[in-house]
């Protein structure tokens, strides 16, 4: 009997945690959706508070397709922002650094020895 009580408790805990994941996904989607007015967002949140399971089910059925599209768009935008940040932080490629140093040498700004040092540093 004790084993079945623990198993039942674990089942309900899993269902509750799954519901919390769905709830957070729904709330995140509500505030990510720019096409939905603030009043509709407030109405969805009020229904989520007072009729949580039914509202979550209706939301997932009614707006699930758009929810997936908005999530995909947000993930793509986050990936693009991360890649842009990495490119900005990483700086120039070694070939670009050598080309810039060669342009400085040709302009007479740096000597041949300084060019060789910059080239060695870029290739290391």
């Amino acid at each position: 009997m004790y084993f079945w009580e623990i198993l039942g408790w674990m089942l309900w805990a899993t269902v509750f945690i799954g519901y919390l994941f769905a709830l957070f996904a729904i709330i995140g989607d509500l505030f990510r959706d720019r096409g939905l007015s603030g009043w509709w967002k407030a109405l969805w949140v009020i229904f989520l508070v007072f009729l949580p399971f039914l509202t979550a089910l209706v939301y997932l059925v009614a707006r699930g397709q758009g929810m997936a599209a908005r999530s995909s768009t947000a993930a793509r935008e986050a990936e693009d922002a991360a890649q842009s940040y990495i490119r900005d932080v990483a700086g120039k490629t070694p070939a670009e650094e050598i080309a810039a140093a060669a342009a400085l040498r040709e302009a007479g700004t740096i000597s041949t020895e300084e060019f060789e040092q910059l080239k060695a540093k870029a290739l290391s």
Side-chain angles (χ1 to χ4, degrees), residues 15-27 29-30 43-65 67:
V15 168
F16 181 72
I17 291 170
Y19 169 72
L20 287 180
F21 273 102
L23 182 69
F24 290 137
I26 290 169
I27 290 173
D29 182 63
L30 275 173
L43 188 63
W44 276 112
V45 170
I46 288 170
F47 276 108
L48 279 170
V49 169
F50 291 109
L51 297 170
F53 290 107
L54 180 64
T55 305
L57 183 63
V58 169
Y59 187 90
L60 292 174
V61 169
R63 298 180 46 90
Q65 190 71 21
M67 189 176 181

Side-chain angles (χ1 to χ4, degrees), residues 24-107:
F24 290 137
I26 290 169
I27 290 173
D29 182 63
L30 275 173
F31 290 103
R32 186 182 303 126
D33 187 4
R34 295 183 180 161
L36 198 62
S37 73
W39 291 106
W40 280 109
K41 292 176 184 180
L43 188 63
W44 276 112
V45 170
I46 288 170
F47 276 108
L48 279 170
V49 169
F50 291 109
L51 297 170
F53 290 107
L54 180 64
T55 305
L57 183 63
V58 169
Y59 187 90
L60 292 174
V61 169
R63 298 180 46 90
Q65 190 71 21
M67 189 176 181
R70 284 185 292 278
S71 178
S72 174
T73 302
R76 192 171 31 259
E77 288 173 356
E79 177 67 24
D80 291 344
Q83 291 298 326
S84 173
Y85 174 76
I86 290 169
R87 279 192 295 275
D88 290 344
V89 171
K92 298 178 181 178
T93 65
E96 292 172 332
E97 289 182 23
I98 293 171
L104 290 173
R105 183 187 63 188
E106 291 173 8

Side-chain angles (χ1 to χ4, degrees), residues 2-21 53:
Y2 185 68
F3 171 76
W4 294 110
E5 289 177 13
I6 292 175
L7 196 61
W9 180 86
M10 288 173 54
L11 173 70
W12 283 111
T14 303
V15 168
F16 181 72
I17 291 170
Y19 169 72
L20 287 180
F21 273 102
F53 290 107

